Every structure is written in structure tokens, then in C-alpha cells.
Amino acid sequence: MQRIIFLVTSLNGMHKPNFSQQLLQVVHQGVQVSVLVALVDFEATWQVREYLNRLAKKDRDVKQVTLMMLADLYQDETGLKLTSGERNMPVLTDFDERLFADNQQQVKRYLDAGHLVAELRQLDDETPMVLRQYHADQLEQIDTYGLDGNVVGIEKVSDEVAQTSYVLNTKGEAVLRFVRHERPVEQVFNLSDSSAMLATEFATAKQNAAAANMTQRQRNKAEEATIDHTSIVSTTETYYGVLAYSNYRRFDNLYTFYQAVLSHLLTPDTRLYVDLAVNAALSPQMPNQLIFNY
């Protein structure tokens, strides 16, 4: 039976008009449709679920779409029990509780001598969504729950940014670890009037930029063609390393990890949709797979 998988790697990609348009088209084709949420930001999976629920109000066939999270795919894999330093598990009943309402959600805030130590967001009395934990009023850990009420993902936060994240199996063990890294990157641009913002390899950037400038401006004065219009912009690139605890396989980036995950799901009859923004990075990992963009 034919199957269609939409790979969601960012909330920005999911909110593109093409995502909802193409999803609404395929749900009427009588095939199995799945949305695979591969976000490192685990709590954002609740936003994906809410978005699909809104689409289902417009088209009831969307209710037939299967929502898959990484925790669903790895729920039975062998994992590693996290230490108390890797996973904080507070006893919330030890603190003062305050109940609030926010955006149709229940919010319970827990205080210790007036200081915020935790915030639990719930859909209702029975369905926890996200638990945020604080130390010295600084966010230090985010626990994301599944629909069954169990924690499926943990993010360890420093300076308001998740640095290490864990996907948990049904036993509460870590089966995947994502570690955030940063590295400096230099990009070279041609900023001449006729430039199309050419980005080239650094070693040949000035030569290529000058050649393009001469080709497009044959009538320019000779001295204008010799002006160096290139500019080097230094920036920082974020990437993630991934470790699977079941076999201790390491992935240098998310795209090799996505390929490994998809390899267990794709068949010759499967159609794969990915965000156009990640196609260039993902397609080299899957040279024999026909990929549709949204």
C-alpha cells in the first residue's frame, strides 16, 4: 500500500502555505499519510499537534493523518538510565502551587520561598504538556510529555538555549542524545551593483567575483572592473551531533540522522515530502530517493 510521509524539521517549514496545501491534497487520495516530527525542540511537537487539529476542523480527513514523534519510533529501543545530574526529577508537592490560565491551557507554577522552581503546562487536569524547571530563577531543564502522560523528551538548558537533549523510551531511559555545537563560518559575497550576491569558495572568491563582474558589465570602464567588490562576513553556524544509545552509533549532523530514521520507514511505494529549505542538505544523504518539496 502506498504511504506518504511529511518530514517536519522546523515550525517555520510547517507553517509554509505549501505544507498545508499539499497535506490537504494527499489526505483525499485514500493512502496512508504520516507526519514525522523530527524537531530537536521537543516541546514544539505540541504546536504541531495543535496545528494539525486546526486543519482537521477545516477538513475532517486530516484526522486520519498519523502523527509520529522520535519517541514513538524509539520507544522500545535499549536506552541509558540518566543520572541525577543529567535529569532533574523534583517532587512538585514539596513546593507551593499556584494555578493560572494562559491561552486555553492550565499553568501550575511551583514556588520555593517565593522563587519560581517549576512551571507545568497542561491541556487539562489529566494531560500534562511541558514542565519547565528553574534554578535561581533561570531555566535549566524542559521536560516534554506525550499523550500518555509520560516524559518523552528532556532538554538541558543553559543561557536560555537547550545544549543537550534526550529522547526517552517507555522505561524513561535515554535512547537518543542531541548535543548542540557552534562553529565559526566565513561567507564571501560579491557586493557590486551587478552582483546577484554570489557566494563562492573563499580561495577563488575574488577571482570568480571579478570574472562575473566583467561578463555582466562589458561596457563598464576598465578601472571599475578592477575594483574589489567582495566582502567577507563572519558568522556562527549551529549544528547538532546525535548519539543513539541502543548501538552507540554517532551521527555528525542531523541530516545523516534523518536518513537513518527514514531508512526504516521508506519503501519503494513511499512518497517523501520535506521542507525545501533542507532539501539541499538532505538529498545527498538519500541519492536514490525521490523527494517532494513543500
Side-chain angles (χ1 to χ4, degrees):
M1 179 178 179
Q2 187 181 16
R3 184 183 187 186
I4 296 176
I5 296 177
F6 284 79
L7 177 68
V8 175
T9 54
S10 73
L11 290 178
N12 287 337
M14 183 193 68
H15 287 301
K16 289 181 177 179
N18 278 344
F19 175 85
S20 57
Q21 290 172 4
Q22 296 191 54
L23 182 65
L24 291 173
Q25 287 176 1
V26 300
V27 295
H28 300 297
Q29 296 178 6
V31 299
Q32 182 181 357
V33 180
S34 301
V35 173
L36 173 57
V37 183
L39 301 172
V40 178
D41 180 6
F42 303 139
E43 64 174 314
T45 57
W46 283 99
Q47 297 184 48
V48 178
R49 185 176 285 110
E50 180 186 2
Y51 184 76
L52 292 178
N53 287 337
R54 290 202 303 269
L55 285 181
K57 293 180 180 179
K58 299 178 182 179
D59 191 324
R60 65 179 60 187
D61 286 341
V62 177
K63 294 181 180 180
Q64 307 303 318
V65 173
T66 300
L67 180 64
M68 297 187 297
M69 297 187 298
L70 293 176
D72 297 326
L73 302 180
Y74 286 84
Q75 61 181 353
D76 297 323
E77 294 287 332
T78 302
L80 177 71
K81 184 177 180 180
L82 298 178
T83 66
S84 58
E86 293 167 326
R87 179 184 181 183
N88 187 33
M89 301 178 66
V91 180
L92 297 179
T93 54
D94 292 343
F95 307 108
D96 296 330
E97 179 185 301
R98 305 288 177 85
L99 180 62
F100 302 87
D102 181 24
N103 194 28
Q104 298 182 341
Q105 298 173 4
Q106 288 188 6
V107 180
K108 294 179 180 178
R109 295 192 175 101
Y110 297 88
L111 307 176
D112 183 13
H115 293 280
L116 181 65
V117 294
E119 178 185 85
L120 177 64
R121 288 186 171 269
Q122 298 178 279
L123 280 178
D124 49 47
D125 290 335
E126 306 297 329
T127 311
M129 299 168 61
V130 177
L131 176 67
R132 293 172 172 265
Q133 300 181 44
Y134 298 83
H135 177 70
D137 295 318
Q138 298 295 314
L139 182 63
E140 67 172 5
Q141 181 174 308
I142 303 174
D143 294 359
T144 298
Y145 294 81
L147 288 176
D148 60 359
N150 293 321
V151 177
V152 296
I154 296 173
E155 299 168 70
K156 302 296 291 185
V157 181
S158 177
D159 296 327
E160 300 296 324
V161 177
Q163 303 294 341
T164 303
S165 305
Y166 301 96
V167 173
L168 307 185
N169 61 16
T170 53
K171 297 180 180 179
E173 302 168 334
V175 286
L176 294 173
R177 184 186 71 188
F178 298 84
V179 179
R180 183 180 185 272
H181 302 282
E182 291 184 349
R183 56 190 171 201
V185 176
E186 287 188 338
Q187 295 178 323
V188 183
F189 297 96
N190 177 3
L191 302 179
S192 63
D193 291 341
S194 60
S195 170
M197 295 298 289
L198 298 178
T200 65
E201 294 293 333
F202 178 74
T204 59
K206 296 183 185 298
Q207 178 181 351
N208 291 346
N213 189 54
M214 288 294 292
T215 299
Q216 298 175 21
R217 290 289 189 178
Q218 295 290 342
R219 295 184 297 247
N220 279 4
K221 295 180 181 180
E223 58 270 22
E224 288 185 5
T226 62
I227 297 176
D228 188 353
H229 293 289
T230 58
S231 178
I232 300 174
V233 178
S234 297
T235 184
T236 301
E237 179 183 62
T238 299
Y239 69 100
Y240 291 87
V242 186
L243 173 64
Y245 283 112
S246 59
N247 55 12
Y248 282 85
R249 181 179 177 183
R250 289 185 178 275
F251 303 90
D252 294 331
N253 58 69
L254 288 176
Y255 302 106
T256 56
F257 170 69
Y258 293 154
Q259 186 277 329
V261 172
L262 290 168
S263 67
H264 296 290
L265 300 174
L266 298 177
T267 69
D269 295 327
T270 304
R271 292 174 61 184
L272 175 64
Y273 287 79
V274 305
D275 185 354
L276 178 61
V278 303
N279 189 311
L282 183 60
S283 57
Q285 308 293 332
M286 310 175 69
N288 299 319
Q289 175 65 43
L290 178 61
I291 298 177
F292 298 86
N293 299 319
Y294 62 78

